[in-house]
Amino acid sequence: MLITEPTYQVTKEEKRFIGLHLFFAILALSIGSLFGPLQAFQYSGLDLYPYIEPIFKSYYQGLTLHGVLNALVWTTFFITGFLTLTIIKGLKRPLVYPTLNKVGFWTMVVGLVTTAIPLLLDEATVLYTFYPPLQASSLFYVGLTLVVVGSWIEGYGFFFTYRAWRKENPGVRTPFVSFAALITMALWQGATLGVAVEILTMLLPWSLGWIDGVDPELARTYFWFTGHPLVYFWLLPAYLSWYGMLPKQAGGKLFSDSLARLAFWLFLLLSIPVGFHHQFTDPGIPQGWKYIHAALTYGVAFPSLLTLFTVVASLELAGRKRGGKGLFGWVRALPWGDPSVSAQLLAGILFIFGGIGGITNASYNVNLVVHNTAWIVGHFHLTVATAVTLSFMGISYWLVPYLTGNRLWKPKWAVAQGWIWFVGMIIFSNAMHVLGLLGAPRRTPLGSAPYVPEEWSGHLFRVSFGGAILLVGVILYVVIMVRTAWSKDKLGPDEQVEVPIAEALHDPQRTPAFLDRWRPWLIATVALILIGYGPQLLDMLLNIQLTSPGF
Ligand code: HAS
Ligand code: CU
């Protein structure tokens, strides 16, 4: 029984609401990205920080702004906006409580402003992981909490909307793009419990002077309870697009609806109990737990391997349909001239290397070589700064024209923008990986370090060079977005952009029912988290030592 309309026209007001998310996302990216090149240039001795010193006090303040604005704010605002669209467009109905979602969104904005004030005043120079005993102004923690709570509220809005849709459509498989959005939000809500507890029970009371010290080991454990699944909160919306939209944009179909859904469930199941792979060198966690988390990390790489298979198969179908022949002819036949498609393809290609690096990190003994080195910086620039960010840039090349009704400004430049990012990132991240293997530490202004050996210098230069190319890439992106959003060049009535929703090769109604049922997956997820974290967290709480003063 299917009661909803065959298509749903997203209203002007809904489009404006989604557009506001993108506005704040791109604003954060524009400011945050300015600090990246400052760091990259510093590596090869071109230190621009003294010139901006009246405003920004240190390399570390810049690094904090870069991490918080790019990794945390750009992503969260883009994602909540994009998921709002995929919920209503997929379920073909409006949000049940639009006011609730508005409250969530503005809570996020208030949180953003509250976080930005101490950041800009150099009172929260604690880097994006805000590890204690580094201490920030309490405003920073309050602001972050508000951003998270706001995003939870938007998520509740999605869940209520799904419940209403489910009542209207019993027995119907949830449309894939909405299904993927719901899992992404569920993952986020479970994951952020870690930082919520960390901030509310330790960091906030401590920054307010209510308690004298913190337990850094426990704080790190709470942090990585959130911090690892956080990377999949960033990644899954890109996967949503790769599975659910890119095949349509490329002229094909989703190769397997079942595999796509299975991958999303596996992310929900396996993303959280792996956080100790960020703490392999932490002395307070027994080896056994580290091994369990290492093994589960290999588990969570599996749905990405599934994704590699299914997305490439979908693209091959599309390429062959477009006349591509031979082993690789289909790759050339893909619509590389479409900036949205090419950006996402390039993002996917670099993610293969990001993934290989991730599996390397997860290997307990190899991690001891790369941990806390520039290698990790190389890894996360291939993942969050490329697989995710370049995909989001690609998505915005259709999304902003869709939301505004304006023509994309200079599509050829948009194609070039994706390539600029791709080339800049290859140079930058390769140099970072190599530097890491040579022992260069991360989070260090290497340009002024006294111990830099000669063999690093070429690679340090490549970091700066790649960083300069990336700066051009991000400026071009922002200019294209601004010129498109505030343009008078309206699309004609028969040129309107539609949300590209890919059909699956087989009718989703034939997808096994257990891949569209929440209860068993949620129960298994909670159980696995209890097994993976329960005993160790309990032990840490029983031996808690709130003794570290702020720094
Ligand atoms: Fe990671 C550290 C392990 C994925 C982000 N990671 C980080 C940090 C960040 C980060 C930010 O085990 C640093 C945190 C900090 O500041 O300390 N990571 C992994 C593993 C994976 C992984 C096993 N990471 C990500 C993703 C991220 C991300 C995704 C952001 C979005 N990572 C680690 C570990 C550490 C770590 C340790 C701690 C290191 C330390 O010591 O501190 C896996 O999920 C990766 C699986 C991926 C694959 C690739 C599949 C390929 C696909 C491409 C499809 C291709 C297409 C193109 C579509 C197996 C899906 C087709 C094109 C055509 C032309 C046809
Ligand atoms: Cu991780």
Side-chain angles (χ1 to χ4, degrees):
M1 181 174 53
L2 179 77
I3 303 176
T4 41
E5 315 157 47
T7 61
Y8 171 75
Q9 290 304 325
V10 178
T11 64
K12 267 217 168 98
E13 202 192 333
E14 287 166 333
K15 287 185 176 175
R16 231 180 66 88
F17 179 55
I18 295 163
L20 270 175
H21 288 77
L22 262 65
F23 171 79
F24 283 101
I26 297 174
L27 183 66
L29 182 76
S30 321
I31 301 170
S33 297
L34 295 177
F35 295 94
L38 285 182
Q39 288 140 214
F41 296 161
Q42 207 281 346
Y43 266 38
S44 60
L46 176 58
D47 194 348
L48 297 176
Y49 278 96
Y51 299 100
I52 56 165
E53 199 164 321
I55 314 174
F56 299 104
K57 298 298 169 234
S58 67
Y59 175 89
Y60 291 102
Q61 189 188 1
L63 189 56
T64 307
L65 279 160
H66 181 63
V68 171
L69 291 178
N70 285 10
L72 304 180
V73 179
W74 145 254
T75 50
T76 307
F77 277 79
F78 189 97
I79 292 168
T80 42
F82 181 52
L83 296 190
T84 305
L85 178 67
T86 58
I87 287 284
I88 55 190
K89 200 65 197 179
L91 299 181
K92 303 189 181 83
R93 64 171 338 284
L95 294 168
V96 258
Y97 305 123
T99 316
L100 181 71
N101 284 63
K102 282 189 190 139
V103 169
F105 173 72
W106 289 108
T107 307
M108 281 169 58
V109 174
V110 172
L112 172 60
V113 175
T114 315
T115 314
I117 295 168
L119 277 173
L120 293 170
L121 293 177
D122 194 30
E123 280 170 16
T125 297
V126 290
L127 306 183
Y128 86 111
T129 41
F130 50 92
Y131 288 149
L134 289 180
Q135 193 179 41
S137 142
S138 51
L139 274 187
F140 176 77
Y141 303 118
V142 172
L144 280 184
T145 307
L146 289 176
V147 173
V148 170
V149 169
S151 67
W152 282 355
I153 297 174
E154 289 218 62
Y156 301 144
F158 298 166
F159 300 146
F160 288 132
T161 306
Y162 171 67
R163 197 179 55 181
W165 175 87
R166 180 45 82 204
K167 273 202 195 124
E168 296 157 1
N169 297 272
V172 178
R173 295 283 178 275
T174 317
F176 175 74
V177 293
S178 309
F179 163 91
L182 290 164
I183 294 197
T184 307
M185 257 304 165
L187 171 68
W188 174 241
Q189 308 237 340
T192 36
L193 290 175
V195 278
V197 174
E198 181 193 7
I199 293 182
L200 296 179
T201 66
M202 262 201 276
L203 302 185
L204 192 56
W206 174 59
S207 66
L208 289 167
W210 298 346
I211 53 174
D212 295 333
V214 279
D215 184 332
E217 184 68 89
L218 177 60
R220 287 165 66 84
T221 304
Y222 284 143
F223 181 84
W224 287 115
F225 181 101
T226 300
H228 183 79
L230 170 64
V231 313
Y232 298 118
F233 172 66
W234 299 332
L235 182 69
L236 293 192
Y239 276 11
L240 181 166
S241 172
W242 295 0
Y243 278 114
M245 297 178 165
L246 188 58
K248 163 94 173 183
Q249 293 176 284
K253 290 186 174 178
L254 168 59
F255 179 73
S256 168
D257 181 78
S258 312
L259 279 183
R261 285 175 207 252
L262 178 64
F264 273 80
W265 285 125
L266 290 176
F267 278 116
L268 180 69
L269 182 68
L270 294 164
S271 283
I272 295 179
V274 299
F276 290 155
H277 71 220
H278 293 268
Q279 296 177 273
F280 284 155
T281 57
D282 285 22
I285 299 159
Q287 303 272 348
W289 287 110
K290 293 177 181 169
Y291 276 112
I292 291 171
H293 281 224
L296 287 169
T297 306
Y298 296 130
V300 78
F302 177 69
S304 284
L305 294 170
L306 275 186
T307 303
L308 176 66
F309 172 77
T310 312
V311 173
V312 171
S314 311
L315 291 170
E316 181 177 351
L317 280 177
R320 295 207 184 279
K321 231 172 104 186
R322 303 171 70 91
K325 299 247 162 13
L327 201 51
F328 291 113
W330 60 269
V331 176
R332 278 190 45 198
L334 292 171
W336 289 91
D338 175 339
S340 173
V341 173
S342 61
Q344 295 184 68
L345 294 177
L346 296 173
I349 292 171
L350 284 195
F351 188 51
I352 296 174
F353 301 96
I356 294 172
I359 294 171
T360 313
N361 297 342
S363 311
Y364 192 117
N365 50 349
V366 188
N367 183 275
L368 302 181
V369 177
V370 296
H371 182 64
N372 268 344
T373 71
W375 167 285
I376 305 299
V377 186
H379 165 66
F380 66 68
H381 280 81
L382 289 179
T383 50
V384 63
T386 303
V388 173
T389 294
L390 186 53
S391 291
F392 289 180
M393 288 168 165
I395 292 167
S396 11
Y397 290 143
W398 64 260
L399 181 55
V400 173
Y402 168 76
L403 294 175
T404 58
N406 298 342
R407 194 181 309 281
L408 180 68
W409 186 74
K410 299 222 190 285
K412 284 203 174 120
W413 288 29
V415 173
Q417 189 275 334
W419 282 98
I420 292 172
W421 197 265
F422 181 73
V423 172
M425 196 55 91
I426 289 178
I427 299 172
F428 174 91
S429 77
N430 178 268
M432 282 290 195
H433 278 93
V434 176
L435 277 168
L437 292 180
L438 294 174
R442 67 182 282 201
R443 301 180 142 164
T444 307
L446 291 173
S448 34
Y451 49 76
V452 173
E454 189 48 40
E455 62 170 351
W456 293 4
S457 64
H459 307 299
L460 290 172
F461 175 75
R462 285 198 296 140
V463 168
S464 306
F465 187 58
I469 301 177
L470 289 168
L471 178 64
V472 175
V474 79
I475 292 176
L476 191 53
Y477 169 68
V478 174
V479 170
I480 295 171
M481 286 295 99
V482 170
R483 298 294 299 252
T484 304
W486 280 280
S487 133
K488 296 216 163 61
D489 189 5
K490 290 278 163 207
L491 289 161
D494 46 343
E495 298 173 303
Q496 290 299 317
V497 177
E498 251 318 309
V499 180
I501 295 186
E503 261 180 66
L505 204 55
H506 302 287
D507 180 4
Q509 275 311 113
R510 285 173 44 203
T511 295
F514 79 95
L515 292 176
D516 200 22
R517 216 170 267 149
W518 281 79
R519 190 161 309 178
W521 293 100
L522 284 178
I523 293 173
T525 302
V526 173
L528 202 58
I529 295 172
L530 287 177
I531 295 170
Y533 265 115
Q536 181 55 25
L537 263 181
L538 190 67
D539 183 61
M540 287 176 148
L541 282 167
L542 291 176
N543 295 296
I544 190 168
Q545 297 192 30
L546 297 171
T547 49
S548 284
F551 175 69

mmCIF file with all atom_site columns, all heavy atoms in Angstrom, residues 224 227-232 271 274-278 297 300 358 361 379, ligand 2:
data_model
loop_
_atom_site.group_PDB
_atom_site.id
_atom_site.type_symbol
_atom_site.label_atom_id
_atom_site.label_alt_id
_atom_site.label_comp_id
_atom_site.label_asym_id
_atom_site.label_entity_id
_atom_site.label_seq_id
_atom_site.pdbx_PDB_ins_code
_atom_site.Cartn_x
_atom_site.Cartn_y
_atom_site.Cartn_z
_atom_site.occupancy
_atom_site.B_iso_or_equiv
_atom_site.pdbx_formal_charge
_atom_site.auth_seq_id
_atom_site.auth_comp_id
_atom_site.auth_asym_id
_atom_site.auth_atom_id
_atom_site.pdbx_PDB_model_num
ATOM   1   N  N   . TRP A 1 224 ? 37.043 9.549  22.195 1.00 0.00 ? 224 TRP A N   1
ATOM   2   C  CA  . TRP A 1 224 ? 37.152 8.671  21.023 1.00 0.00 ? 224 TRP A CA  1
ATOM   3   C  C   . TRP A 1 224 ? 35.958 7.742  20.858 1.00 0.00 ? 224 TRP A C   1
ATOM   4   O  O   . TRP A 1 224 ? 35.745 7.193  19.772 1.00 0.00 ? 224 TRP A O   1
ATOM   5   C  CB  . TRP A 1 224 ? 38.484 7.914  21.023 1.00 0.00 ? 224 TRP A CB  1
ATOM   6   C  CG  . TRP A 1 224 ? 39.591 8.880  20.682 1.00 0.00 ? 224 TRP A CG  1
ATOM   7   C  CD1 . TRP A 1 224 ? 40.614 9.274  21.498 1.00 0.00 ? 224 TRP A CD1 1
ATOM   8   C  CD2 . TRP A 1 224 ? 39.736 9.622  19.456 1.00 0.00 ? 224 TRP A CD2 1
ATOM   9   N  NE1 . TRP A 1 224 ? 41.389 10.214 20.857 1.00 0.00 ? 224 TRP A NE1 1
ATOM   10  C  CE2 . TRP A 1 224 ? 40.880 10.446 19.607 1.00 0.00 ? 224 TRP A CE2 1
ATOM   11  C  CE3 . TRP A 1 224 ? 39.024 9.688  18.258 1.00 0.00 ? 224 TRP A CE3 1
ATOM   12  C  CZ2 . TRP A 1 224 ? 41.315 11.312 18.604 1.00 0.00 ? 224 TRP A CZ2 1
ATOM   13  C  CZ3 . TRP A 1 224 ? 39.454 10.544 17.267 1.00 0.00 ? 224 TRP A CZ3 1
ATOM   14  C  CH2 . TRP A 1 224 ? 40.585 11.337 17.436 1.00 0.00 ? 224 TRP A CH2 1
ATOM   15  N  N   . GLY A 1 227 ? 34.706 10.213 18.739 1.00 0.00 ? 227 GLY A N   1
ATOM   16  C  CA  . GLY A 1 227 ? 35.590 10.681 17.674 1.00 0.00 ? 227 GLY A CA  1
ATOM   17  C  C   . GLY A 1 227 ? 35.706 9.728  16.509 1.00 0.00 ? 227 GLY A C   1
ATOM   18  O  O   . GLY A 1 227 ? 35.760 10.149 15.357 1.00 0.00 ? 227 GLY A O   1
ATOM   19  N  N   . HIS A 1 228 ? 35.725 8.423  16.763 1.00 0.00 ? 228 HIS A N   1
ATOM   20  C  CA  . HIS A 1 228 ? 35.801 7.560  15.596 1.00 0.00 ? 228 HIS A CA  1
ATOM   21  C  C   . HIS A 1 228 ? 34.504 7.523  14.795 1.00 0.00 ? 228 HIS A C   1
ATOM   22  O  O   . HIS A 1 228 ? 34.510 7.808  13.602 1.00 0.00 ? 228 HIS A O   1
ATOM   23  C  CB  . HIS A 1 228 ? 36.326 6.150  15.873 1.00 0.00 ? 228 HIS A CB  1
ATOM   24  C  CG  . HIS A 1 228 ? 36.397 5.431  14.572 1.00 0.00 ? 228 HIS A CG  1
ATOM   25  N  ND1 . HIS A 1 228 ? 37.431 5.623  13.674 1.00 0.00 ? 228 HIS A ND1 1
ATOM   26  C  CD2 . HIS A 1 228 ? 35.496 4.676  13.928 1.00 0.00 ? 228 HIS A CD2 1
ATOM   27  C  CE1 . HIS A 1 228 ? 37.163 4.996  12.560 1.00 0.00 ? 228 HIS A CE1 1
ATOM   28  N  NE2 . HIS A 1 228 ? 36.004 4.410  12.684 1.00 0.00 ? 228 HIS A NE2 1
ATOM   29  N  N   . PRO A 1 229 ? 33.356 7.203  15.439 1.00 0.00 ? 229 PRO A N   1
ATOM   30  C  CA  . PRO A 1 229 ? 32.119 7.216  14.625 1.00 0.00 ? 229 PRO A CA  1
ATOM   31  C  C   . PRO A 1 229 ? 31.858 8.574  13.974 1.00 0.00 ? 229 PRO A C   1
ATOM   32  O  O   . PRO A 1 229 ? 31.195 8.643  12.932 1.00 0.00 ? 229 PRO A O   1
ATOM   33  C  CB  . PRO A 1 229 ? 31.020 6.849  15.624 1.00 0.00 ? 229 PRO A CB  1
ATOM   34  C  CG  . PRO A 1 229 ? 31.632 6.939  16.973 1.00 0.00 ? 229 PRO A CG  1
ATOM   35  C  CD  . PRO A 1 229 ? 33.100 6.745  16.823 1.00 0.00 ? 229 PRO A CD  1
ATOM   36  N  N   . LEU A 1 230 ? 32.382 9.635  14.579 1.00 0.00 ? 230 LEU A N   1
ATOM   37  C  CA  . LEU A 1 230 ? 32.265 10.952 13.949 1.00 0.00 ? 230 LEU A CA  1
ATOM   38  C  C   . LEU A 1 230 ? 32.753 10.908 12.498 1.00 0.00 ? 230 LEU A C   1
ATOM   39  O  O   . LEU A 1 230 ? 32.151 11.513 11.614 1.00 0.00 ? 230 LEU A O   1
ATOM   40  C  CB  . LEU A 1 230 ? 33.100 11.951 14.770 1.00 0.00 ? 230 LEU A CB  1
ATOM   41  C  CG  . LEU A 1 230 ? 33.323 13.351 14.198 1.00 0.00 ? 230 LEU A CG  1
ATOM   42  C  CD1 . LEU A 1 230 ? 31.999 14.088 14.093 1.00 0.00 ? 230 LEU A CD1 1
ATOM   43  C  CD2 . LEU A 1 230 ? 34.273 14.149 15.100 1.00 0.00 ? 230 LEU A CD2 1
ATOM   44  N  N   . VAL A 1 231 ? 33.829 10.157 12.245 1.00 0.00 ? 231 VAL A N   1
ATOM   45  C  CA  . VAL A 1 231 ? 34.354 10.158 10.870 1.00 0.00 ? 231 VAL A CA  1
ATOM   46  C  C   . VAL A 1 231 ? 33.368 9.493  9.914  1.00 0.00 ? 231 VAL A C   1
ATOM   47  O  O   . VAL A 1 231 ? 33.333 9.813  8.735  1.00 0.00 ? 231 VAL A O   1
ATOM   48  C  CB  . VAL A 1 231 ? 35.776 9.537  10.743 1.00 0.00 ? 231 VAL A CB  1
ATOM   49  C  CG1 . VAL A 1 231 ? 36.712 10.069 11.803 1.00 0.00 ? 231 VAL A CG1 1
ATOM   50  C  CG2 . VAL A 1 231 ? 35.774 8.025  10.703 1.00 0.00 ? 231 VAL A CG2 1
ATOM   51  N  N   . TYR A 1 232 ? 32.547 8.581  10.434 1.00 0.00 ? 232 TYR A N   1
ATOM   52  C  CA  . TYR A 1 232 ? 31.527 7.980  9.557  1.00 0.00 ? 232 TYR A CA  1
ATOM   53  C  C   . TYR A 1 232 ? 30.285 8.860  9.445  1.00 0.00 ? 232 TYR A C   1
ATOM   54  O  O   . TYR A 1 232 ? 29.546 8.766  8.467  1.00 0.00 ? 232 TYR A O   1
ATOM   55  C  CB  . TYR A 1 232 ? 31.183 6.558  10.000 1.00 0.00 ? 232 TYR A CB  1
ATOM   56  C  CG  . TYR A 1 232 ? 32.394 5.663  9.915  1.00 0.00 ? 232 TYR A CG  1
ATOM   57  C  CD1 . TYR A 1 232 ? 32.928 5.052  11.031 1.00 0.00 ? 232 TYR A CD1 1
ATOM   58  C  CD2 . TYR A 1 232 ? 33.053 5.499  8.697  1.00 0.00 ? 232 TYR A CD2 1
ATOM   59  C  CE1 . TYR A 1 232 ? 34.078 4.286  10.950 1.00 0.00 ? 232 TYR A CE1 1
ATOM   60  C  CE2 . TYR A 1 232 ? 34.199 4.745  8.605  1.00 0.00 ? 232 TYR A CE2 1
ATOM   61  C  CZ  . TYR A 1 232 ? 34.707 4.143  9.740  1.00 0.00 ? 232 TYR A CZ  1
ATOM   62  O  OH  . TYR A 1 232 ? 35.850 3.401  9.650  1.00 0.00 ? 232 TYR A OH  1
ATOM   63  N  N   . SER A 1 271 ? 30.684 1.062  14.065 1.00 0.00 ? 271 SER A N   1
ATOM   64  C  CA  . SER A 1 271 ? 31.447 2.322  14.121 1.00 0.00 ? 271 SER A CA  1
ATOM   65  C  C   . SER A 1 271 ? 31.915 2.705  15.517 1.00 0.00 ? 271 SER A C   1
ATOM   66  O  O   . SER A 1 271 ? 32.931 3.359  15.669 1.00 0.00 ? 271 SER A O   1
ATOM   67  C  CB  . SER A 1 271 ? 30.600 3.481  13.618 1.00 0.00 ? 271 SER A CB  1
ATOM   68  O  OG  . SER A 1 271 ? 30.535 3.454  12.252 1.00 0.00 ? 271 SER A OG  1
ATOM   69  N  N   . VAL A 1 274 ? 35.251 0.898  18.404 1.00 0.00 ? 274 VAL A N   1
ATOM   70  C  CA  . VAL A 1 274 ? 36.580 0.795  17.800 1.00 0.00 ? 274 VAL A CA  1
ATOM   71  C  C   . VAL A 1 274 ? 37.478 1.950  18.234 1.00 0.00 ? 274 VAL A C   1
ATOM   72  O  O   . VAL A 1 274 ? 38.598 2.080  17.767 1.00 0.00 ? 274 VAL A O   1
ATOM   73  C  CB  . VAL A 1 274 ? 36.493 0.787  16.243 1.00 0.00 ? 274 VAL A CB  1
ATOM   74  C  CG1 . VAL A 1 274 ? 35.702 -0.391 15.732 1.00 0.00 ? 274 VAL A CG1 1
ATOM   75  C  CG2 . VAL A 1 274 ? 35.895 2.084  15.724 1.00 0.00 ? 274 VAL A CG2 1
ATOM   76  N  N   . GLY A 1 275 ? 36.961 2.796  19.138 1.00 0.00 ? 275 GLY A N   1
ATOM   77  C  CA  . GLY A 1 275 ? 37.650 4.052  19.470 1.00 0.00 ? 275 GLY A CA  1
ATOM   78  C  C   . GLY A 1 275 ? 39.054 3.869  20.018 1.00 0.00 ? 275 GLY A C   1
ATOM   79  O  O   . GLY A 1 275 ? 39.887 4.770  19.893 1.00 0.00 ? 275 GLY A O   1
ATOM   80  N  N   . PHE A 1 276 ? 39.335 2.698  20.611 1.00 0.00 ? 276 PHE A N   1
ATOM   81  C  CA  . PHE A 1 276 ? 40.682 2.515  21.182 1.00 0.00 ? 276 PHE A CA  1
ATOM   82  C  C   . PHE A 1 276 ? 41.759 2.483  20.102 1.00 0.00 ? 276 PHE A C   1
ATOM   83  O  O   . PHE A 1 276 ? 42.942 2.552  20.433 1.00 0.00 ? 276 PHE A O   1
ATOM   84  C  CB  . PHE A 1 276 ? 40.758 1.234  22.030 1.00 0.00 ? 276 PHE A CB  1
ATOM   85  C  CG  . PHE A 1 276 ? 39.982 1.317  23.320 1.00 0.00 ? 276 PHE A CG  1
ATOM   86  C  CD1 . PHE A 1 276 ? 39.503 0.165  23.946 1.00 0.00 ? 276 PHE A CD1 1
ATOM   87  C  CD2 . PHE A 1 276 ? 39.724 2.537  23.926 1.00 0.00 ? 276 PHE A CD2 1
ATOM   88  C  CE1 . PHE A 1 276 ? 38.786 0.234  25.127 1.00 0.00 ? 276 PHE A CE1 1
ATOM   89  C  CE2 . PHE A 1 276 ? 39.003 2.619  25.111 1.00 0.00 ? 276 PHE A CE2 1
ATOM   90  C  CZ  . PHE A 1 276 ? 38.527 1.462  25.713 1.00 0.00 ? 276 PHE A CZ  1
ATOM   91  N  N   . HIS A 1 277 ? 41.390 2.405  18.812 1.00 0.00 ? 277 HIS A N   1
ATOM   92  C  CA  . HIS A 1 277 ? 42.449 2.461  17.804 1.00 0.00 ? 277 HIS A CA  1
ATOM   93  C  C   . HIS A 1 277 ? 43.081 3.870  17.730 1.00 0.00 ? 277 HIS A C   1
ATOM   94  O  O   . HIS A 1 277 ? 44.069 4.058  17.056 1.00 0.00 ? 277 HIS A O   1
ATOM   95  C  CB  . HIS A 1 277 ? 42.001 1.928  16.434 1.00 0.00 ? 277 HIS A CB  1
ATOM   96  C  CG  . HIS A 1 277 ? 41.027 2.780  15.685 1.00 0.00 ? 277 HIS A CG  1
ATOM   97  N  ND1 . HIS A 1 277 ? 39.979 2.245  14.972 1.00 0.00 ? 277 HIS A ND1 1
ATOM   98  C  CD2 . HIS A 1 277 ? 40.932 4.118  15.492 1.00 0.00 ? 277 HIS A CD2 1
ATOM   99  C  CE1 . HIS A 1 277 ? 39.298 3.211  14.397 1.00 0.00 ? 277 HIS A CE1 1
ATOM   100 N  NE2 . HIS A 1 277 ? 39.858 4.360  14.692 1.00 0.00 ? 277 HIS A NE2 1
ATOM   101 N  N   . HIS A 1 278 ? 42.471 4.808  18.431 1.00 0.00 ? 278 HIS A N   1
ATOM   102 C  CA  . HIS A 1 278 ? 43.117 6.125  18.573 1.00 0.00 ? 278 HIS A CA  1
ATOM   103 C  C   . HIS A 1 278 ? 43.937 6.185  19.853 1.00 0.00 ? 278 HIS A C   1
ATOM   104 O  O   . HIS A 1 278 ? 44.548 7.203  20.148 1.00 0.00 ? 278 HIS A O   1
ATOM   105 C  CB  . HIS A 1 278 ? 42.068 7.236  18.600 1.00 0.00 ? 278 HIS A CB  1
ATOM   106 C  CG  . HIS A 1 278 ? 41.352 7.382  17.295 1.00 0.00 ? 278 HIS A CG  1
ATOM   107 N  ND1 . HIS A 1 278 ? 41.764 8.242  16.312 1.00 0.00 ? 278 HIS A ND1 1
ATOM   108 C  CD2 . HIS A 1 278 ? 40.264 6.748  16.804 1.00 0.00 ? 278 HIS A CD2 1
ATOM   109 C  CE1 . HIS A 1 278 ? 40.957 8.140  15.264 1.00 0.00 ? 278 HIS A CE1 1
ATOM   110 N  NE2 . HIS A 1 278 ? 40.038 7.229  15.536 1.00 0.00 ? 278 HIS A NE2 1
ATOM   111 N  N   . THR A 1 297 ? 37.948 -2.782 14.126 1.00 0.00 ? 297 THR A N   1
ATOM   112 C  CA  . THR A 1 297 ? 38.253 -1.757 13.112 1.00 0.00 ? 297 THR A CA  1
ATOM   113 C  C   . THR A 1 297 ? 38.383 -2.397 11.735 1.00 0.00 ? 297 THR A C   1
ATOM   114 O  O   . THR A 1 297 ? 37.905 -1.840 10.740 1.00 0.00 ? 297 THR A O   1
ATOM   115 C  CB  . THR A 1 297 ? 39.547 -1.001 13.466 1.00 0.00 ? 297 THR A CB  1
ATOM   116 O  OG1 . THR A 1 297 ? 39.433 -0.484 14.784 1.00 0.00 ? 297 THR A OG1 1
ATOM   117 C  CG2 . THR A 1 297 ? 39.799 0.140  12.496 1.00 0.00 ? 297 THR A CG2 1
ATOM   118 N  N   . VAL A 1 300 ? 34.967 -2.720 10.531 1.00 0.00 ? 300 VAL A N   1
ATOM   119 C  CA  . VAL A 1 300 ? 34.260 -1.536 10.024 1.00 0.00 ? 300 VAL A CA  1
ATOM   120 C  C   . VAL A 1 300 ? 34.857 -1.075 8.693  1.00 0.00 ? 300 VAL A C   1
ATOM   121 O  O   . VAL A 1 300 ? 34.246 -0.264 7.979  1.00 0.00 ? 300 VAL A O   1
ATOM   122 C  CB  . VAL A 1 300 ? 34.200 -0.403 11.082 1.00 0.00 ? 300 VAL A CB  1
ATOM   123 C  CG1 . VAL A 1 300 ? 35.504 0.357  11.198 1.00 0.00 ? 300 VAL A CG1 1
ATOM   124 C  CG2 . VAL A 1 300 ? 33.054 0.543  10.794 1.00 0.00 ? 300 VAL A CG2 1
ATOM   125 N  N   . GLY A 1 358 ? 44.082 4.052  6.379  1.00 0.00 ? 358 GLY A N   1
ATOM   126 C  CA  . GLY A 1 358 ? 43.286 3.789  7.586  1.00 0.00 ? 358 GLY A CA  1
ATOM   127 C  C   . GLY A 1 358 ? 43.533 2.379  8.105  1.00 0.00 ? 358 GLY A C   1
ATOM   128 O  O   . GLY A 1 358 ? 43.727 2.158  9.304  1.00 0.00 ? 358 GLY A O   1
ATOM   129 N  N   . ASN A 1 361 ? 46.762 2.282  9.778  1.00 0.00 ? 361 ASN A N   1
ATOM   130 C  CA  . ASN A 1 361 ? 46.692 2.845  11.140 1.00 0.00 ? 361 ASN A CA  1
ATOM   131 C  C   . ASN A 1 361 ? 46.119 1.860  12.134 1.00 0.00 ? 361 ASN A C   1
ATOM   132 O  O   . ASN A 1 361 ? 46.487 1.841  13.301 1.00 0.00 ? 361 ASN A O   1
ATOM   133 C  CB  . ASN A 1 361 ? 45.752 4.058  11.180 1.00 0.00 ? 361 ASN A CB  1
ATOM   134 C  CG  . ASN A 1 361 ? 46.211 5.197  10.327 1.00 0.00 ? 361 ASN A CG  1
ATOM   135 O  OD1 . ASN A 1 361 ? 47.367 5.262  9.955  1.00 0.00 ? 361 ASN A OD1 1
ATOM   136 N  ND2 . ASN A 1 361 ? 45.294 6.093  10.003 1.00 0.00 ? 361 ASN A ND2 1
ATOM   137 N  N   . HIS A 1 379 ? 46.609 11.063 6.233  1.00 0.00 ? 379 HIS A N   1
ATOM   138 C  CA  . HIS A 1 379 ? 45.432 10.170 6.211  1.00 0.00 ? 379 HIS A CA  1
ATOM   139 C  C   . HIS A 1 379 ? 44.131 10.966 6.262  1.00 0.00 ? 379 HIS A C   1
ATOM   140 O  O   . HIS A 1 379 ? 43.236 10.771 5.449  1.00 0.00 ? 379 HIS A O   1
ATOM   141 C  CB  . HIS A 1 379 ? 45.512 9.192  7.390  1.00 0.00 ? 379 HIS A CB  1
ATOM   142 C  CG  . HIS A 1 379 ? 44.230 8.477  7.694  1.00 0.00 ? 379 HIS A CG  1
ATOM   143 N  ND1 . HIS A 1 379 ? 43.666 7.563  6.824  1.00 0.00 ? 379 HIS A ND1 1
ATOM   144 C  CD2 . HIS A 1 379 ? 43.392 8.532  8.765  1.00 0.00 ? 379 HIS A CD2 1
ATOM   145 C  CE1 . HIS A 1 379 ? 42.548 7.089  7.358  1.00 0.00 ? 379 HIS A CE1 1
ATOM   146 N  NE2 . HIS A 1 379 ? 42.355 7.666  8.523  1.00 0.00 ? 379 HIS A NE2 1
HETATM 147 CU CU  . CU  B 2 .   ? 39.147 6.130  14.048 1.00 0.00 ? 2   CU  B CU  1
#
